[in-house]
Amino acid sequence: MKTNIKIKRVYDPPAKQDGFRILVDRLWPRGLTKEGVVFDDWVKALAPSTALRKWYRHDPALWADFQKEYRQELKKNKIIPAFVAAHKGKKVITLLYAGKDNEHTHALVLRDFLEKQFSEQE
């Protein structure tokens, strides 16, 4: 079974089509309470490192370099194999992120990376 990985802002309302909802930010989203967010898991270790996040500052001019550096972090991330093994049977996973910029979010890079990992496990 192929796992469909979606991305969505954590501030957007949940939907049944979201499947298993995973928050993938290192920091808790501003202005939200844990009781006010519908999520199944919070996996901080999938987010960019603090150093990379601070360097990037969500600056679109740094997007290409950020993607390259984040992919390198993901390749070295020791939790990826266990994460894929734990979630490979799920039909839909939605990665939740808090950033305002939908075109320059780490969740895009993470989704693409995880899609490759899941496809290698099928």
Side-chain angles (χ1 to χ4, degrees):
M1 174 196 321
K2 182 174 171 32
T3 301
N4 182 14
I5 303 174
K6 301 178 180 184
I7 63 169
K8 187 174 192 176
R9 286 193 74 221
V10 69
Y11 300 99
D12 294 339
K16 288 182 181 177
Q17 300 86 351
D18 291 347
F20 196 82
R21 294 167 51 93
I22 303 171
L23 181 60
V24 293
D25 283 344
R26 196 165 293 276
L27 304 174
W28 185 257
R30 288 184 182 152
L32 297 177
T33 63
K34 289 189 176 133
E35 296 77 25
V37 176
V38 177
F39 68 105
D40 298 297
D41 201 0
W42 181 12
V43 186
K44 299 175 194 178
L46 291 176
S49 67
T50 300
L52 182 57
R53 179 179 52 81
K54 287 182 176 182
W55 169 83
Y56 175 46
R57 303 178 318 276
H58 295 283
D59 180 351
L62 300 173
W63 177 239
D65 289 335
F66 170 79
Q67 290 180 81
K68 181 180 173 186
E69 292 301 320
Y70 184 36
R71 278 191 202 97
Q72 289 304 313
E73 284 188 358
L74 289 169
K75 286 177 185 174
K76 296 175 188 172
N77 191 325
K78 293 182 183 352
I79 74 150
I80 296 289
F83 178 87
V84 171
H87 297 288
K88 69 180 177 183
K90 292 180 174 60
K91 188 173 182 178
V92 179
I93 295 172
T94 298
L95 306 176
L96 303 171
Y97 67 97
K100 294 178 185 174
D101 185 344
N102 296 329
E103 296 177 21
H104 303 98
T105 174
H106 74 285
L108 289 168
V109 179
L110 179 59
R111 180 192 62 198
D112 293 346
F113 184 85
L114 289 175
E115 283 175 343
K116 289 177 184 151
Q117 300 302 308
F118 276 91
S119 69
E120 289 174 4
Q121 295 293 316
E122 293 174 352

